[in-house]
Amino acid sequence: VFHPEGKLVIRNAEYARDFSPIDKNCTCYTCQNYSRAYIRHLIKCNEVLGIRLTTVHNLHFLVDLMKQVRNAIMENNFSQFRKEFFARYKLIS
């Protein structure tokens, strides 16, 4: 799933007991109602709900990212925004 710091691999064992949301600052339905541990459990059990919840989060993330991009363009600050985004966006586990 997408996270402000990079791609989060929710299937990893480290999230089995992580009861925090995917992103604590996200306002999507998934982050407001479900934990990383529960979503990991759903995905590991091949439950469709796990994929749906991650999709809801990912779409929310991308829509929000595009809002930030548009704002940066309108403020004539896209280069700086891009540098800052890619400086923090990495593959995280």
Side-chain angles (χ1 to χ4, degrees):
V1 295
F2 295 125
H3 187 273
E5 295 173 8
K7 183 180 172 188
L8 188 110
V9 183
I10 203 85
R11 288 178 169 243
N12 289 357
E14 66 188 278
Y15 300 116
R17 298 195 187 279
D18 187 344
F19 298 102
S20 62
I22 293 170
D23 177 10
K24 65 180 180 178
N25 298 319
C26 182
T27 59
C28 78
Y29 177 80
T30 299
C31 289
Q32 297 298 309
N33 295 288
Y34 299 97
S35 70
R36 291 176 178 184
Y38 182 64
I39 295 168
R40 179 187 182 275
H41 163 74
L42 292 172
I43 291 171
K44 294 296 271 183
C45 293
N46 293 320
E47 288 287 337
V48 175
L49 179 59
I51 302 301
R52 287 183 183 205
L53 292 173
T54 56
T55 300
V56 166
H57 169 77
N58 285 341
L59 290 173
H60 182 83
F61 178 88
L62 291 172
V63 167
D64 188 57
L65 178 61
M66 290 304 106
K67 284 180 188 175
Q68 293 175 42
V69 167
R70 281 192 301 272
N71 286 339
I73 291 170
M74 289 169 48
E75 294 170 0
N76 224 8
N77 195 25
F78 180 72
S79 283
Q80 185 63 30
F81 173 82
R82 190 182 74 145
K83 284 180 193 173
E84 291 171 5
F85 179 81
F86 284 112
R88 73 175 183 269
Y89 194 84
K90 301 190 178 17
L91 177 63
I92 57 176
S93 52

